[in-house]
Amino acid sequence: MKTLKKHLIVIFITLTVAMAFLNSIINSVFNTIAENITNEYMMGLALIIYFIAVILVLVIGAILFVHLISKKIKEENIRYNKEKNILFANIAHDLKTPITTIMGFSKALYDEVVDETEKKELLNSIYGKSKRVNELLDLMFQYAKLDGVDFEMKLQELDVGRLIRETIALYYNEFEGKSIEINIEMPEKPIKLNLDNVEFSRAISNLIINAYRHNKPGSKVAVRLEEDDGIKIIVADNGENIDDEMKEAIFNPFICGDESRNSKEGSGLGLAITKKIVEKHGGKIFIDSNIDGYTKGFVVQL
């Protein structure tokens, strides 16, 4: 949508400038001719031709504007439908494996072809796969909701540092389970911004989840809050760096910077959701590979 708006603005400005230029030429030509006309009939005829020329420029400009807008809207619809088809294909791909496992294991239990010692293991697998399906559907719902025309942010003044600390606290066990050291670097004074508590907490959660899910045991993670001409939230780690060509693509749906999605540890939707939330708050998110003591960091700038 933002790309389409930019194209429309560019088209409008370009055509406005072009029409103004043509009208200035018409005015110049008319003034030159009018200086040499002494006959009232010829002057009236010249005025009629002048007004016809001005109207023609206006009509041609309007036709071009409508044509170019229609073309851009058509291109945007084609791009959107292509992205939607890819999204649906990836959703089907990611849902197929756990659903197939659930069907197979539940059929085995129904047919009673497994002994008592294996039942608990199969039930645990069914639960795990069901949880995975539910998580993926929840992410899909979040992503679709953020694209909805009726979606509105519920902004309120919040202490950003407190929000980040509370979010990190939810995942301490996951970091300890993978023996990942997490360092929290926050200023002592409160830093307040107008944020949507639920959505912005979700954005930070996705970055935290990404940090422990895509780093090896023994890694280091830092979460920083900096105030300098706005604020920066940095989630850095000393894991593998991300190639330059992936630094923008990684925020697209179903894209991961490693093999995690193929191994079913990640969905590739978390960072896409985070980007949408950050942009709806008027900010931007990017990857910085020049963070002291760390190989990379996801930076949210507001």
Side-chain angles (χ1 to χ4, degrees), residues 30 33-50:
F30 174 76
I33 294 174
E35 289 176 357
N36 299 316
I37 295 177
T38 56
N39 186 288
E40 289 185 3
Y41 171 79
M42 293 302 295
M43 178 59 75
L45 185 61
L47 281 170
I48 292 172
I49 294 172
Y50 167 77

Side-chain angles (χ1 to χ4, degrees), residues 1-23:
M1 184 61 71
K2 286 185 176 180
T3 303
L4 181 59
K5 286 181 179 177
K6 287 179 181 178
H7 282 307
L8 295 181
I9 292 170
V10 170
I11 291 170
F12 178 78
I13 292 173
T14 302
L15 286 177
T16 300
V17 171
M19 289 168 63
F21 177 71
L22 287 173
N23 280 327

Side-chain angles (χ1 to χ4, degrees), residues 162-176:
R162 181 177 179 180
L163 181 148
I164 294 172
R165 288 190 187 93
E166 290 176 351
T167 304
I168 294 172
L170 299 174
Y171 301 99
Y172 270 127
N173 290 338
E174 280 76 4
F175 281 98
E176 287 184 359

Side-chain angles (χ1 to χ4, degrees), residues 1 19 37 61 69 94 118 121 146 162 174 178 182 185 187 196 200 216-217 226 258 271-272 277 281 293 295:
M1 184 61 71
M19 289 168 63
I37 295 177
I69 286 178
D94 279 10
E118 293 178 314
E121 183 180 344
L146 291 167
R162 181 177 179 180
E174 280 76 4
K178 288 191 72 172
I182 180 167
E185 304 170 20
D196 184 309
F200 201 78
K216 297 177 182 178
E226 300 176 356
D258 54 22
L271 291 178
I277 293 171
H281 281 86
T295 53

Side-chain angles (χ1 to χ4, degrees), residues 12 19 65 119 147 149 170 189 206 262 283:
F12 178 78
M19 289 168 63
F65 185 65
K119 280 185 178 180
D147 262 347
V149 293
L170 299 174
K189 67 173 184 177
N206 289 340
N262 294 330

Side-chain angles (χ1 to χ4, degrees), residues 1 4 72-88 143-149 253 276:
M1 184 61 71
L4 181 59
K72 286 298 178 184
I73 291 174
K74 183 178 179 180
E75 290 174 355
E76 189 69 14
N77 283 334
I78 291 172
R79 184 191 64 78
Y80 176 77
N81 288 330
K82 184 178 179 181
E83 286 183 357
K84 186 171 67 174
N85 290 337
I86 293 172
L87 185 67
F88 288 157
Y143 186 82
K145 178 186 70 175
L146 291 167
D147 262 347
V149 293
K276 283 185 177 292

Side-chain angles (χ1 to χ4, degrees), residues 58-78:
L58 182 62
V59 170
I60 291 171
I63 292 171
L64 278 173
F65 185 65
V66 171
H67 172 73
L68 292 172
I69 286 178
S70 300
K71 183 179 178 182
K72 286 298 178 184
I73 291 174
K74 183 178 179 180
E75 290 174 355
E76 189 69 14
N77 283 334
I78 291 172

